[in-house]
């Protein structure tokens, strides 16, 4: 009863106006990108995105974890956390707050900084059994999913637990209703998977990412705590659906189309149950992309149109722009040049409106490079190789300059360029682009890119005596055999 009354008396979060002022004219997505760049400058790794920025500005995160603290103080030298609008760490994570069961306001974004997860043990804090179980469940979720997914690239080590449900079984407990901590862990798993996919591709992530997805749906089945209220329940549904889409994308990008279709359908069902138009638009958007890649262009058009209907009430021109590109891809697959052109024109007009506060956080990848890359794919499907190669060249150049950390995207755009140049009758330039892709494949695992570069190699076989082509073909053949040269 004491903890219940304490929770009910917790004041609502106060907006962090100081932090909002520091963001200035930048959109949340642009500011999040600046945070990630600052982190790289000091050797930190954080998966900051627009939603995290929004939670800070709304006052939901009263004090950042240690990794974010170092990054923020690096970005704004001479300022303290208090100057940035945060509460003192002791006030948020002190003995009194923890003893009262008030973990609200503490940043539960356990990215690559494990200090916060050990904070209470280091300082000998007391906690109730419920708090301890919640901490075990949060860490079990993260280590069975996010941290394990990151093993290859981040060197993290996970616990031998199969998520929250397994943690409860080992402890002999029934699965307890989810609260703020578990919902935050679901949301962080989504961010980590997206970040790792952008950097390293889908092939090494898909199977490991299934564990946090199972856990998220186990949490949905268990429900949310009474103290969390409808807001936490809505976040859990949204987080589970977004996680299903992220895992579906990993299946999609690694060529497991049936698995991807199943995950996207699961996300769509979750969106419909929760009455969440943003999640519904995302699920239909990805379904359209999958249908195009699976050779079902008419389904791609219809799914994109369904996504647009769901997205119109969200007020995000950039989201509608991306959906228009999905529709354009479907029209291109049908060989309908006029339909494709109309959709492309609409995509550019909506994109030029610029970013807005209402842009979904998952769209941080969608910028000038992705726009050019998707347009290149449309022209390629229509057989206009010169058009396609110009757009692919722009996509690869912009991505290399503006987002060099997203290796997978750079490799994808460059592979598209190599294919378009080969089909346009420019074998030497195609081979040069192909060599750049091969140089990136040590960092990226993507069946999509491997398949594209294999097709380029086949196209260049008749030109194997041309300048540069021999080297590309030899390196590709050696890679296929597993030989390093």
């Amino acid at each position: 009863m004491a903890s219940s009354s304490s929770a009910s008396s917790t004041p609502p979060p106060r907006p962090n106006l100081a932090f909002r002022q520091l963001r200035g004219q930048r959109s949340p997505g642009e500011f999040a990108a600046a945070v990630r760049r600052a982190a790289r400058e000091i050797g930190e790794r954080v998966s900051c995105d627009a939603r995290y920025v929004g939670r800070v500005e709304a006052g939901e995160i009263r004090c950042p974890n240690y990794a974010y603290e170092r990054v923020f103080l690096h970005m704004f030298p001479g300022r303290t956390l208090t100057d940035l609008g945060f509460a003192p760490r002791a006030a948020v994570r002190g003995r009194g707050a923890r003893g009262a069961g008030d973990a609200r306001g503490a940043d539960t974004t356990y990215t690559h900084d494990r200090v916060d997860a050990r904070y209470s043990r280091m300082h000998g804090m007391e906690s109730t059994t419920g708090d301890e179980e919640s901490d075990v469940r949060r860490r079990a979720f993260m280590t069975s999913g996010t941290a394990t997914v990151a093993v290859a690239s981040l060197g993290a080590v996970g616990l031998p637990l199969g998520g929250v449900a397994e943690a409860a079984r080992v402890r002999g407990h029934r699965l307890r209703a989810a609260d703020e901590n578990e919902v935050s862990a679901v949301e962080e798993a989504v961010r980590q998977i997206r970040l790792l996919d952008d950097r390293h591709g889908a092939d090494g992530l898909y199977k490991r990412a299934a564990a946090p997805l199972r856990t998220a749906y186990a949490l949905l089945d268990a429900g949310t705590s009474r103290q969390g209220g409808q807001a936490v329940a809505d976040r859990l549904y949204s987080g589970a659906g977004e996680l299903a889409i992220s895992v579906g994308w990993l299946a999609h990008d690694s060529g497991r189309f049936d698995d991807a279709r199943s995950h996207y359908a699961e996300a769509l069902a979750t969106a419909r149950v929760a009455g969440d138009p943003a999640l519904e638009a995302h699920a239909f958007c990805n379904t359209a992309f999958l249908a195009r890649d699976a050779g079902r262009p008419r389904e791609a058009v219809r799914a994109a149109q369904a996504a647009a209907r769901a997205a119109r009430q969200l007020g995000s021109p950039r989201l509608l722009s991306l959906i228009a590109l999905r529709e354009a891809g479907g029209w291109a697959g049908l060989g309908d040049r006029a339909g494709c052109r109309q959709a492309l024109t609409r995509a550019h007009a909506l994109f030029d409106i610029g970013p807005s506060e209402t842009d979904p956080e998952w769209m941080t990848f969608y910028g000038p490079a992705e726009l050019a890359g998707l347009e290149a794919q449309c022209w390629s499907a229509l057989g206009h190789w010169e058009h396609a190669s110009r757009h692919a060249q722009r996509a690869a150049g912009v991505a290399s300059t503006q987002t060099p950390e997203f290796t997978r995207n750079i490799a994808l755009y460059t592979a598209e360029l190599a294919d378009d140049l080969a089909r346009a009758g420019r074998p030497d330039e195609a081979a040069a682009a192909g060599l750049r892709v091969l140089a990136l494949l040590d960092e990226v695992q993507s069946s999509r890119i491997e398949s594209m570069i294999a097709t380029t190699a086949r196209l260049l076989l008749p030109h194997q005596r041309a300048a540069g082509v021999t080297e590309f073909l030899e390196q590709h053949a050696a890679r296929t055999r597993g030989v390093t040269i």
Side-chain angles (χ1 to χ4, degrees):
M1 294 297 291
S3 61
S4 176
S5 62
S6 173
S8 64
S9 64
T10 301
R14 293 182 179 179
N16 188 335
L17 300 180
F19 198 87
R20 173 63 187 89
Q21 187 174 14
L22 289 169
R23 175 160 67 85
Q25 297 300 311
R26 289 174 287 187
S27 72
E30 291 168 335
F31 187 77
V35 172
R36 296 194 299 270
R37 285 194 297 271
R40 290 194 299 274
E41 290 171 3
I42 61 172
E44 284 289 355
R45 291 190 178 185
V46 297
S47 53
C48 187
D49 56 21
R51 175 170 285 191
Y52 181 89
V53 174
R55 291 185 65 206
V56 171
E57 293 178 359
E60 294 178 23
I61 296 176
R62 293 169 54 207
C63 183
N65 70 18
Y66 289 96
Y68 277 103
E69 177 182 354
R70 287 189 285 272
V71 175
F72 292 150
L73 296 183
H74 171 68
M75 292 178 70
F76 305 106
R79 288 183 168 93
T80 65
L81 284 182
T82 305
D83 295 332
L84 302 181
F86 293 110
R89 191 175 302 281
V92 177
R93 293 195 175 95
R95 180 184 297 271
R98 180 62 63 94
D102 180 13
R104 296 177 185 176
D107 178 5
T108 53
T109 308
Y110 288 71
T111 49
H112 310 296
D113 184 350
R114 299 296 296 271
V115 178
D116 286 356
R118 299 194 299 265
Y119 186 86
S120 61
R121 295 197 301 275
M122 288 166 56
H123 292 272
M125 290 183 182
E126 298 174 0
S127 63
T128 65
T129 302
D131 290 334
E132 180 187 357
E133 181 182 359
S134 179
D135 189 55
V136 168
R137 290 167 66 190
R138 180 173 64 254
R139 286 185 283 113
F141 181 95
M142 297 304 293
T143 52
S144 69
T146 309
T148 307
V149 167
V151 165
S153 59
L154 304 177
V157 179
L159 296 175
L161 295 173
V164 176
E166 177 66 9
R169 185 189 68 78
V170 170
R171 294 173 63 89
H173 295 174
R174 292 183 61 187
L175 188 60
R176 189 165 58 82
D179 59 18
E180 170 77 22
N181 293 323
E182 283 76 35
V183 174
S184 294
V186 172
E187 293 168 343
E188 180 60 18
V190 175
R191 296 183 186 107
Q192 288 290 334
I193 288 171
R194 288 173 184 159
L195 182 64
L196 291 165
D197 174 54
D198 285 336
R199 290 177 175 171
H200 304 290
D203 285 14
L205 303 178
Y206 173 58
K207 291 183 179 179
R208 294 188 179 104
L213 180 59
R214 287 192 299 269
T215 298
Y217 277 90
L219 287 171
L220 273 184
D221 189 53
T224 54
S225 64
R226 187 171 300 174
Q227 289 86 355
Q230 189 60 42
V232 171
D234 290 345
R235 282 176 56 200
L236 180 57
Y237 269 93
S238 177
E242 290 292 346
L243 189 54
I245 292 174
S246 291
V247 176
W249 166 248
L250 296 179
H252 179 175
D253 197 43
S254 56
R256 300 172 173 92
F257 288 174
D258 289 342
D259 288 357
R261 190 178 181 87
S262 176
H263 288 306
Y264 291 161
E266 189 170 37
L268 182 58
T270 303
R272 291 285 176 81
V273 167
D276 186 339
L279 180 59
E280 182 175 341
H282 192 186
F284 270 130
C285 183
N286 275 44
T287 299
F289 199 20
L290 174 65
R292 187 209 71 170
D293 286 352
R296 299 191 297 270
R298 195 168 299 280
E299 179 185 332
V301 171
R302 290 176 176 172
Q305 291 170 344
R309 287 193 296 272
R312 285 191 188 107
Q313 58 189 295
L314 303 177
S316 170
R318 283 284 168 95
L319 174 57
L320 289 169
S321 172
L322 177 61
I323 291 170
L325 283 169
R326 299 292 189 234
E327 183 180 340
W331 289 124
L334 289 168
D336 188 333
R337 180 172 178 174
C340 181
R341 273 189 175 278
Q342 287 181 353
L344 287 174
T345 299
R346 191 164 67 251
H348 278 278
L350 288 162
F351 186 89
D352 289 343
I353 295 173
S356 73
E357 299 281 350
T358 55
D359 293 340
E361 68 165 302
W362 58 266
M363 286 190 62
T364 52
F365 74 92
Y366 184 53
E370 184 71 7
L371 174 63
L374 290 174
E375 184 165 1
Q377 292 173 17
C378 289
W379 290 117
S380 180
L382 289 167
H384 295 272
W385 314 119
E386 290 293 344
H387 272 66
S389 62
R390 283 199 299 272
H391 288 289
Q393 179 77 63
R394 181 170 186 268
V398 171
S400 298
T401 302
Q402 295 186 2
T403 54
E405 70 275 17
F406 291 165
T407 312
R408 180 260 177 200
N409 290 354
I410 296 171
L412 176 65
Y413 304 142
T414 309
E416 175 69 34
L417 174 62
D419 184 82
D420 294 334
L421 290 169
R423 295 177 189 275
R426 295 155 66 181
D428 52 342
E429 296 174 67
L435 286 169
R436 294 198 296 274
V437 176
L438 292 178
L440 294 171
L441 287 182
D442 289 335
E443 302 176 48
V444 176
Q445 292 181 317
S446 171
S447 295
R448 176 192 299 268
I449 297 171
E450 294 273 7
S451 176
M452 291 171 69
I453 207 66
T455 299
T456 300
R458 289 194 296 273
L459 291 169
L460 291 180
L461 275 175
H463 308 279
Q464 55 188 312
R465 295 184 180 180
V469 174
T470 300
E471 182 183 0
F472 165 70
L473 292 175
E474 288 177 350
Q475 286 201 22
H476 180 262
R479 181 177 181 83
T480 303
R481 296 192 304 269
V483 178
T484 302
I485 61 175

